[in-house]
Amino acid sequence: MQVGSGRAHVVGTSHNNSVLGIVVSSGAERGVNSRAQSAVFTGRKAEAEERENRKKKMKDRGGKGQPSVDERYTQWKSLVPVLYDWLANHNLVWPSLSCRWGPQLEKATYKNRQRLYLSEQARSSCLPTCIPLITGNVTEPGIGGLDSVFLHGLACSLFVLVFAVDYQCLLSLICTDGSVPNTLVIANCEIVKPRVAAAEHISQFNEEARSPFVKKFKTIIHPGEVNRIRELPQNSKIVATHTDSPDVLIWDVEAQPNRHAVLGAQDSRPDLILTGHEDNAEFALAMCPTEPLVLSGGKDKSVVMWSIQDHISSLATDPVSAKSPGSGSGSKNTSKTGGASDKLVDGPTIGPRGTYQGHGDTVEDVQFCPSSGQEFCSVGDDSCLILWDARTGSSPVLKVEKAHDADLHCVDWNHHDVNLILTGSADTSVRMFDRRNLTSGGVGSPVHIFEGHSAAVLCVQWSPDRSSVFGSSAEDGILNIWDHDKIGKKQEAVGTRVSNHPPGLFFRHAGHRDKVVDFHWTSCDPWTIVSVSDDGESTGGGGTLQIWRMIDLIYRPEEEVIAELDKFKSHILTCV
């Protein structure tokens, strides 16, 4: 191989060259590659400047008199041993928009194991594209075995040392225009039980590392981005997903084969496709707690309901379709996904049981009444909160015209008290409504307005452990925990100090450095939450998944806490 005065250029794999796929340019090729290389460096410089601008933006986001995101995070991390009973931090290579707990798999003495569903939104990226070209055996970004990592390092070192090729330029020249597929990830998580983890252990984590408590079990290659995941309460192995299409996709996660997210991989085949929307339905998705019903909302301003039982009934008359489509058999029905790809998704389909019209803009979220499969609610970009009853027809039972001062993003219905409904909005507030006090038309009259965020609220959810407690997450990177029972109750002053936090707020999780797009309480381990942030704006990278539980001294009755601390009074005094 002739090196000469020119630099070796990587042009991809070649049958006439080594397994590493490198050739030396001729004189004519050199000029073309030189210009390409110059363009690459220019692009790299622009990307670097953009990253710096993002970092500066994040540092300045705190505003006048407020700490920056980095300062807030540093302060939060120093308080982790004091505020948390347990915390696991898991770095995500790709951004994620949804996370949901699945069934509990195992109970042990010091920790339990539980299923977790997680989305991975793959973006066009150079590194995941070029690694398979160099090593030939890396099947997933960041997952490859020791051999692949070693080969990748060896190959890149060889290029840099022998041919003096800039590493970043090398990666750019290797890359194609492809991207890694979007995936639905099924993981098994180990959840440490209360009062087991040592304080110094939970605070010593690396933000760039993956947690040993989160282990990938299976990957499903999803047709399009996974915007929302919901599990079926009647059958824990069935989940529904929303993507940028009019359809809802149903997956039997146990029957679906495990796939590798490599370039050009074919999409997994859904076990069932729910059709009925006339435009994309991207986020609004809910499963009924009492019946196998699915609810969805979309850009067509409608709310659509299906029964999975309808598919089971059809299987009884069509035994050929009984096997999971994910395993390669079944009916040949197709449905078209939305977005730029406009791909056909293969799988059995069923139509809706009902379509409900009443919104004037995109429906952003839907929720079933916990005690009835026929009653549900929806919120949308028209600032409306609508209550429905399928038994009375397709028109709204009650419509609050101006529930918030901006678009509504999320809604949740209290499982302990079915009269209470939460909504979250782009106006940065969370509002609690009592449906007994609502009237159609005019401005909504919430029981209380919770103001503890500085950006749009993205997710609200009632706690399964206490009827008055709920959480809210927002684009400000904060997940707040509230207790509406504390509102209006007299607080004893400590000296002359006066509380300056919003009424009802009793815990702020500040472990994320960018918008917290989703979170979910688990009903199997009390007060344990999984939350996920999309860190694209702050780092230009993927996301952060955290599983955490605040220390019980925060939420237990005050008299219990005082009595427990009193037992250790003498020991505390000696420490002081």
Side-chain angles (χ1 to χ4, degrees), residues 121-173:
Q121 319 293 100
R123 293 170 178 163
S124 294
S125 175
C126 183
L127 185 59
T129 305
C130 68
I131 288 179
L133 289 177
I134 296 176
T135 66
N137 65 343
V138 177
T139 58
E140 210 166 337
I143 302 294
L146 181 61
D147 291 342
S148 62
V149 173
F150 173 75
L151 285 174
H152 174 242
L154 178 63
C156 292
S157 299
L158 183 64
F159 288 140
V160 173
L161 292 175
V162 177
F163 303 111
V165 178
D166 178 85
Y167 180 66
Q168 292 297 334
C169 177
L170 170 70
L171 294 181
S172 297
L173 291 169

Side-chain angles (χ1 to χ4, degrees), residues 277 296-304 355-363 366 376-388 393-402 440-441:
H277 279 291
S296 169
K299 289 184 177 180
D300 57 2
K301 309 173 188 177
S302 65
V303 176
V304 183
T355 301
Y356 307 88
Q357 303 284 348
H359 280 283
D361 208 333
T362 300
V363 180
V366 290
F376 46 95
C377 64
S378 59
V379 296
D381 290 345
D382 55 2
S383 302
C384 292
L385 164 64
I386 300 182
L387 272 62
W388 311 82
S394 59
S395 299
V397 170
L398 190 148
K399 182 175 182 179
V400 180
E401 295 283 357
K402 195 171 176 59
S440 289

Side-chain angles (χ1 to χ4, degrees), residues 92-99 117-125 128 141 179-185 216 219-229 241-245 261 282-283 515 517-518 532-536 540-544:
L92 299 172
V93 175
W94 305 113
S96 177
L97 291 181
S98 190
C99 59
Y117 305 121
L118 181 71
S119 69
E120 285 187 339
Q121 319 293 100
R123 293 170 178 163
S124 294
S125 175
S179 62
V180 175
N182 297 285
T183 57
L184 170 62
V185 175
K216 186 177 290 189
T219 298
I220 294 171
I221 297 181
H222 198 272
E225 295 185 349
V226 187
N227 297 330
R228 202 57 99 234
I229 306 168
T241 58
H242 251 331
T243 184
D244 298 334
S245 88
E282 299 171 343
F283 294 101
K515 51 184 175 289
V517 291
D518 201 11
V532 67
S533 59
D534 180 352
D535 299 341
T544 301

Side-chain angles (χ1 to χ4, degrees), residues 361-423:
D361 208 333
T362 300
V363 180
E364 293 287 358
D365 201 10
V366 290
Q367 194 61 248
F368 278 101
C369 174
S371 60
S372 171
Q374 303 303 311
E375 297 177 76
F376 46 95
C377 64
S378 59
V379 296
D381 290 345
D382 55 2
S383 302
C384 292
L385 164 64
I386 300 182
L387 272 62
W388 311 82
D389 191 328
R391 295 165 295 195
T392 64
S394 59
S395 299
V397 170
L398 190 148
K399 182 175 182 179
V400 180
E401 295 283 357
K402 195 171 176 59
H404 280 260
D405 298 325
D407 299 355
L408 273 74
H409 291 160
C410 46
V411 63
D412 197 29
W413 210 314
N414 195 316
H415 284 252
H416 301 279
D417 184 346
V418 294
N419 291 310
L420 298 181
I421 298 172
L422 286 174
T423 57

